Amino acid sequence: MATIVTAGRRPGQGVAANLLLYALLLILSVIFIAPLLWMLSTSFKTTEGATALPPQWIPAEFSTEGYTSLFADAQAPVLRWLFNSVVVAVAHTVLVLVTAAAAAYPLARMRFRGKNTIFALIVATLFVPGFVFLMPNYLIVESLGWLDSKWALIVPGAASAFGVFFLRQFFVSIPVELEEAGLIDGANRFQIFVRIVLPLAKAPLATLAILSLLGSWNDFLWPLYVLFNPENLTLPAGLATLKGAYATDYPAIMAGAALASVPVLIAFALVQRYVIAGVARSGLKG
Amino acid sequence: MATDTVVAERSRRAPGSVGVVGRSGVRPGLLTPYLFLAPFLLVFGVFVLAPAVYGLWISLHNWDFFLPTRPWVGLTNYLNLFDPDNLLAEHFWESMLATGKFVLFSVPLLVVLPLGLAMLLNRNFRGRTAFRAIYFAPYVLGVSVIGLLWQFLLSSNVGLVNYYLSKVGLDEAIPWLTALPWVWISLVGVTVWWTMGFNSVVYLAGLQGIDTALYDAAKVDGASRWREFVHVTLPGLRPVLLFVVTMTILASANMFGQSYLLTAGNPSNETRTAIMFIAQVGLEQFRIGSAAAMSYLLALLLIVISAANFVFFRSKEGD
């Protein structure tokens, strides 16, 4: 009898429920995506077009004025900021991957003194809010002579406790026999790590790489305070200074915003399965 | 590729080889694990462990850039924050109140709404992955982009939001970024829009981890949708909920960029959050000792909240 109830429920609600579901999902999609489309569309408008009413979702007069005025301004070397952001994000990500993978490996696969203490310390820092490090790291960076330099952005955040934790979870699951076979062939631990373990970990490494790139690319508070010279700013920090200078030049401001977001949106579109899976995974295991 | 060769060679492995394998892996040389750990520990030590202690040390000194010396002052920096006659204390608690309000307004929305969205996305239909990506997309952008974009959208004279509101009959322009209570509605709304996709994805993974047999059993018992949600979904999501609630409180307590870019702390410091104030005192006025003390006080408060959270979810487990 009970089975009849089960069988009757889902198909009975089928079509109407599905239509409702799609309608809801589409409305939500518009809310999530429309502001981004507006940003892109405004960046290709004339100054008048940007504030024209009714709003022009497709520019009535297509213009690259926003971009050219942005690039021409010596006070706001936007291309330089873009370049700085790329250098910082790439260097930061490489450093995160190398240090985190190397550290995660022994924590997952070797027995040694202090292992549990080290791992506990790393995990504990996951729960310390970032602002605690703001003042001391500012002084440390200053004493290293790194203020107003890329090093201040590349190195301090590179100790990724999350990265170590995340990769360790994966390394633990690799069958011991694979390493064992390598050892018998006369490989040392480093060779096993590089030739056997890392190639197996492509997916988690890619996930960590994307998350690190996004984090570095979008970092705002720290660059705002450790960089001074306009030449040295990253794009997010630079954009904050644009706001004042271009108060009402909306095409130029939106061009800057688009410049900062289109690369990450494209990167995200290409690897969104990894990003989303990585987020889901870190959420569950955190 | 490397895997294939290894697998092929496994067949001719020596019979005695089991000896080199321990339960947690192959026995390493004495120094090997430390060599692997060294690069990470170097950066971790200098920029995570050391600052955690160094910050505490700083907070016990009158660490002002404009002073020739940095004298030890003990707990003065902390006690000052509890002195009702101290102007700094007044501004500090004002900023803590702002952060508290933001947490209070945003966390419930960021816990509940993404769960609803995740449950929608957890149903079986075509295009699920595409929708997930769409809702996640804003999260990929930095706060500086979000700030510039919404400053334009929420502008009281040229903004789209007020334009469309006027189309549905609301003729009076709403001062989204300059007046109460609109500033809070804007900051919370923008933050929910920006970060909701993140929590949804975390919930979604949690939902997919729930044993479907439990739902079948609930159906056999004739449970309503609501009872199914209360007795199967929520208990199944408990660890995920703990994670989402804790991380969302931490993230909201860290709020800086939205206020900095959208309202600049206005009107009259109403939306100047704790992080914004700490950064101002420490990195603009260079009163680093005071700023460090404020950071530790806020961190302590957050640790207490997280612990309470943990206990709450633990005690629920008994039900």
Side-chain angles (χ1 to χ4, degrees), chain A residues 9-10 21-22 25 31 54-55 57 109 111 113 133 137 176 180 183 185 189 195 218 225 243 261 284, chain B residues 2 9 17 21 24 26 34 47-48 120 126 135 140-142 163-164 193 225 240 254 261 275 284:
Chain A
R9 203 156 130 195
R10 284 283 148 81
L21 175 69
Y22 275 112
L25 289 169
I31 295 173
W57 282 91
R109 310 305 300 234
R111 270 197 271 184
R113 277 176 72 105
F133 303 103
N137 267 340
V176 161
E180 200 193 338
L183 273 190
D185 286 351
R189 300 300 299 224
R195 295 201 199 135
N218 288 329
Y225 284 108
K243 196 185 97 176
S261 41
L284 285 177
Chain B
E9 262 149 18
S17 65
V21 184
S24 54
V26 187
Y34 304 107
F47 295 105
V48 181
L120 274 184
R126 286 164 67 94
Y135 303 140
V140 177
L141 304 181
Y163 171 76
Y164 284 117
W193 172 84
R225 279 283 162 101
V240 181
N254 251 311
L261 292 155
I275 308 297
E284 288 175 29

Side-chain angles (χ1 to χ4, degrees), chain B residues 12 30 38 51 99 107 164 169 175 208 219 230 246 274 284 287 289 295 318:
Chain B
R12 56 178 169 88
L30 212 56
T99 292
V107 171
Y164 284 117
Q208 285 169 1
K219 245 160 249 148
V230 171
T246 309
E284 288 175 29
R287 288 187 285 169
S295 320

Side-chain angles (χ1 to χ4, degrees), chain A residues 6 42 49 100 105 136 146 186 213 257:
Chain A
T6 330
T42 307
Y105 180 53
W146 287 357
L213 269 174

Side-chain angles (χ1 to χ4, degrees), chain A:
Chain A
M1 247 170 39
T3 42
I4 296 168
V5 177
T6 330
R9 203 156 130 195
R10 284 283 148 81
Q13 300 173 330
V15 181
N18 257 346
L19 272 178
L20 204 70
L21 175 69
Y22 275 112
L24 202 59
L25 289 169
L26 279 174
I27 293 171
L28 284 172
S29 300
V30 170
I31 295 173
F32 278 85
I33 285 299
L36 306 181
L37 295 177
W38 183 247
M39 166 176 79
L40 207 57
S41 136
T42 307
S43 76
F44 288 109
K45 286 174 194 166
T46 59
T47 323
E48 300 76 50
T51 53
L53 292 178
Q56 303 171 357
W57 282 91
I58 294 164
E61 189 185 340
F62 184 88
S63 159
T64 51
E65 218 172 79
Y67 290 89
T68 47
S69 75
L70 196 61
F71 293 156
D73 186 350
Q75 297 302 301
V78 176
L79 290 176
R80 176 85 208 169
W81 296 343
L82 187 66
F83 173 76
N84 292 342
S85 278
V86 171
V87 171
V88 165
V90 170
H92 169 84
T93 301
V94 169
L95 201 57
V96 166
L97 289 185
V98 170
T99 59
Y105 180 53
L107 290 171
R109 310 305 300 234
M110 297 181 198
R111 270 197 271 184
F112 57 93
R113 277 176 72 105
K115 174 172 157 174
N116 291 339
T117 315
I118 293 173
F119 189 58
L121 263 180
I122 293 174
V123 172
T125 60
L126 281 173
F127 299 97
V128 181
F131 57 78
V132 164
F133 303 103
L134 196 56
M135 299 304 139
N137 267 340
Y138 185 89
L139 294 180
I140 291 173
V141 160
E142 190 209 17
S143 65
L144 289 169
W146 287 357
L147 280 185
D148 206 20
S149 98
K150 290 189 178 62
W151 295 110
L153 306 186
I154 295 170
V155 185
S160 170
F162 165 76
V164 173
F165 180 75
F166 179 70
L167 292 178
R168 182 192 165 271
Q169 302 300 91
F170 180 82
F171 290 162
V172 164
S173 69
I174 297 174
V176 161
E177 286 80 6
L178 292 178
E179 286 170 273
E180 200 193 338
L183 273 190
I184 286 154
D185 286 351
N188 62 35
R189 300 300 299 224
F190 180 75
Q191 289 164 326
I192 291 175
F193 173 62
V194 172
R195 295 201 199 135
I196 301 176
V197 175
L198 287 186
L200 287 173
K202 272 183 200 140
L205 285 171
T207 308
L208 183 60
I210 293 151
L211 294 176
S212 303
L213 269 174
L214 283 178
S216 169
W217 184 266
N218 288 329
D219 195 13
F220 180 63
L221 173 62
W222 182 248
L224 197 64
Y225 284 108
V226 295
L227 303 175
F228 314 118
N229 192 331
E231 282 279 307
N232 292 336
L233 298 182
T234 55
L235 205 41
L239 288 178
T241 68
L242 263 191
K243 196 185 97 176
Y246 287 78
T248 53
D249 189 350
Y250 292 108
I253 296 179
M254 291 299 110
L259 208 61
S261 41
V262 168
V264 284
L265 281 174
I266 291 173
F268 170 65
L270 291 175
V271 290
Q272 53 109 346
R273 277 165 192 276
Y274 278 135
V275 184
I276 291 180
V279 165
R281 200 169 172 166
S282 62
L284 285 177
K285 303 240 169 104

Side-chain angles (χ1 to χ4, degrees), chain B residues 137-175:
Chain B
Y139 185 74
V140 177
L141 304 181
V143 73
S144 56
V145 168
I146 300 300
L148 292 181
L149 175 57
W150 281 95
Q151 203 182 34
F152 182 27
L153 290 168
L154 292 171
S155 150
S156 49
N157 40 33
V158 297
L160 273 199
V161 176
N162 274 347
Y163 171 76
Y164 284 117
L165 285 179
S166 77
K167 285 283 134 189
V168 296
L170 264 163
D171 281 331
E172 207 164 325
I174 292 174

